[in-house]
Amino acid sequence: MRKAYRATDVLAAVAEELKEGRADRLLHKAAAGLAVICTEELAARCGNVYGRRVALLVGTGNNGADALLAGVRLRRRGVVVDALLVGDRAYEPGLGELTRLGGYVLAAGDSDSAKSALSRADLVVDGIIGESGTGGLYGYAAELAAAIPPSTPVIAVDIPSGVEPDTGEIHGPHIKADITVTFAAWKAATFLPPASYAAGRLRFVSVGLPPIPAEPIVRCLGDRGIAERWPVPTTTSHKYLRGVLGVVAGSDTYPGAAVLAVIGAKQAGAGIIRYIGPPRVTGHVLTKVPEAVPGFGQVQAWLLGSGVEDDAEQDRAIDTALNSGLPCVVDAGALEACVRRRMAGERSAPADRILLTPHAGELARILGWLGHDVRRDEVEARPAYFGLEVARAVDATVLVKGATTLITRPDGMIASQAEAPPWLATAGAGDVLAGIAGALMSGGVDAFDAGEMAAFIHGRAAAEAHRSRGGGPITASSVAHVAPNVIGAALAAREG
């Protein structure tokens, strides 16, 4: 599991190390790791390292020092290094050694020379500012960022300069990196959109910093974390112990939503699925999933709202489910009923039993019901902020669907999953996701873990379906049918 911490907590831990006189050790370890990744990238893109050109964007802090010391190592490998100073000072030992080895140092404000160096560079290293910065870049730093040719790869030190380190928000000019190399601890911005989209691929370099003595604010589960939490049947399990999920989904307009939600739940391992919906849709569901059982009955969790329109029987079923105190995955057509009930204080189930699954547009509508006039594009610019806002307001766990899916809970914790290829932006994908989450909650998994695990499996299954189709388009159905193999591969980590 990757855990990311507040910038102030990371900086405090680094400061403790610096007080112990370990500044050079930390800087040199970071620079060594950064230089290795730079050489790997040069070799991969250019075929060799010797004689290639690297431009360093050098800020006044430790990120600039890391860039300079990495530049020293690159210079020793025969790389032509241009250090473009952003401020009126920089890490003097690094400047002196780079100059001694024949590197070039360009003073801040020398725009023409700096732009020329950037235009010739095979690689740019962004060491302007890291987790200590807030707000977008401005002045000369913004000018340099804008001058980087679009085709030139960029490696960012810690986080891309100009993004908000704790929230992932972007408020102005910033660096867009192909790779972000982070040290000591993961930074929240690398997992939270839109900053995570500016971070590119992530690489971690350990510098030997002790564990951060603070709670993380973002986590990202991998295979082992999924395997440790997945409800695996035992030799004494039967279908009722596996989890009985009630599904209220679909309509005459959207029958496929019900089919996909039920398939998603079945493929994720639900023991029994009881389906409630219009007769025609029930026929579609039973044709595709003959294991489903139509009508009411005892359940351990509910999946509500996928594709639901105005239907009196389904509305009553949704009310019954929300009054039951049982775990509920609340999607699409059930969101308003759930949110308005919880706003009115009717909270029969705690936050760890309620998982709302809106996309950005639906989250904007929820915020409207809460009295906030927020547009969809504003939600997309601040998904973590608005996800937490809703989670706290209605005391529920909120899964915000997107290219990076965020799961937020009222205490401020955020989970991030970005396993999926862009091809997953397709009709019905959210219904499959809801089905997977419902299966997990019927198996006893709490809302936060269920949302995170479902997003992981959903995204990984999409990636697997994409590969199996030769890198071509995928469908929601193809994602659902690959899910068991992906779950099995993740569970193998339990044995590893």
Side-chain angles (χ1 to χ4, degrees):
M1 181 195 304
R2 293 182 288 185
K3 299 177 181 180
Y5 298 84
R6 293 188 187 280
T8 52
D9 292 329
V10 177
L11 292 169
V14 171
E16 280 297 311
E17 287 291 287
L18 297 183
K19 280 199 304 186
E20 298 296 324
R22 302 189 182 102
D24 284 345
R25 180 183 68 83
L26 289 177
L27 290 174
H28 283 282
K29 277 198 167 186
L34 176 60
V36 167
I37 293 168
C38 288
T39 57
E40 290 174 351
E41 190 67 7
L42 285 171
R45 288 179 177 264
C46 304
N48 64 332
V49 175
Y50 186 86
R52 296 297 171 181
R53 302 190 72 106
V54 171
L56 314 174
L57 304 181
V58 181
T60 58
N62 287 338
N63 287 62
D66 293 338
L68 281 171
L69 292 175
V72 168
R73 290 173 175 267
L74 292 172
R75 184 71 197 113
R76 288 174 178 151
R77 292 286 303 272
V79 176
V80 179
V81 178
D82 295 303
L84 285 54
L85 304 190
V86 176
D88 57 0
R89 58 186 172 84
Y91 181 64
E92 286 295 339
L95 282 177
E97 185 64 8
L98 182 63
T99 302
R100 187 184 70 79
L101 292 171
Y104 303 99
V105 177
L106 304 179
D110 190 353
S111 297
D112 291 341
S113 297
K115 291 175 181 177
S116 177
L118 288 169
S119 70
R120 299 192 306 269
D122 297 300
L123 177 70
V124 173
V125 176
D126 163 32
I128 299 174
I129 194 167
E131 67 265 34
S132 61
T134 58
L137 299 176
Y138 59 91
Y140 188 57
E143 184 181 342
L144 291 180
I148 300 172
S151 60
T152 303
V154 177
I155 295 180
V157 179
D158 257 339
I159 61 174
S161 295
V163 307
E164 295 293 333
D166 290 340
T167 67
E169 296 171 15
I170 296 175
H171 299 299
H174 63 282
I175 294 290
K176 188 174 188 315
D178 296 271
I179 298 173
T180 294
V181 183
T182 194
F183 312 100
W186 291 105
K187 314 306 187 297
T190 59
F191 299 134
L192 299 178
S196 59
Y197 306 143
R201 290 181 287 125
L202 303 181
R203 299 287 300 271
F204 183 82
V205 173
S206 175
V207 294
L209 193 72
I212 306 295
E215 289 297 312
I217 58 173
V218 182
R219 80 178 193 191
C220 182
L221 288 183
D223 291 279
R224 186 172 292 277
I226 299 295
E228 290 170 351
R229 291 164 173 78
W230 199 272
V232 177
T234 66
T235 54
T236 59
S237 295
H238 50 73
K239 60 188 177 183
Y240 295 100
L241 289 177
R242 290 280 306 281
V244 184
L245 178 68
V247 176
V248 184
S251 60
D252 286 332
T253 306
Y254 302 110
V259 173
L260 290 167
V262 172
I263 291 175
K266 193 63 189 173
Q267 296 292 82
I272 302 176
I273 300 168
R274 299 189 185 277
Y275 174 71
I276 299 166
R280 187 172 74 90
V281 181
T282 301
H284 284 300
V285 169
L286 294 178
T287 298
K288 294 295 185 180
V289 188
E291 301 93 339
V293 179
F296 278 94
Q298 186 174 1
V299 302
Q300 276 120 18
W302 288 96
L303 163 53
L304 310 171
S306 301
V308 169
E309 291 193 309
D310 293 330
D311 181 282
E313 183 181 0
Q314 286 182 309
D315 289 344
R316 284 193 295 273
I318 289 170
D319 286 341
T320 298
L322 293 174
N323 284 330
S324 69
L326 291 172
C328 294
V329 177
V330 184
D331 190 30
L335 287 169
E336 184 169 6
C338 180
V339 169
R340 291 198 184 279
R341 279 173 171 273
R342 297 183 79 80
M343 285 169 58
E346 300 174 26
R347 301 178 179 182
S348 57
D352 64 356
R353 288 189 165 205
I354 300 293
L355 177 64
L356 309 183
T357 60
H359 55 59
E362 290 167 333
L363 193 63
R365 286 199 292 276
I366 293 172
L367 288 159
W369 303 332
L370 296 173
H372 307 294
D373 184 13
V374 179
R375 302 185 310 274
R376 178 180 186 137
D377 63 312
E378 293 176 298
V379 171
E380 290 172 338
R382 306 178 72 191
Y385 173 82
F386 287 116
L388 287 172
E389 187 85 359
V390 171
R392 289 164 174 154
V394 303
D395 191 36
T397 305
V398 179
L399 181 154
V400 186
K401 291 181 282 198
T404 294
T405 293
L406 301 181
I407 304 90
T408 63
R409 67 188 188 199
D411 66 358
M413 186 64 183
I414 303 172
S416 172
Q417 284 295 336
E419 298 288 328
W423 291 105
L424 187 56
T426 187
D431 304 320
V432 174
L433 172 64
I436 297 171
L440 287 164
M441 291 185 74
S442 74
V445 179
D446 71 37
F448 190 74
D449 279 354
E452 185 174 16
M453 293 159 66
F456 176 96
I457 294 299
H458 188 240
R460 186 69 68 83
E464 181 61 30
H466 176 55
R467 282 192 294 271
S468 71
R469 293 180 169 219
I474 60 175
T475 64
S477 298
S478 68
V479 173
H481 288 297
V482 172
N485 293 339
V486 173
I487 294 167
L491 291 178
R494 186 182 301 214
E495 312 299 329

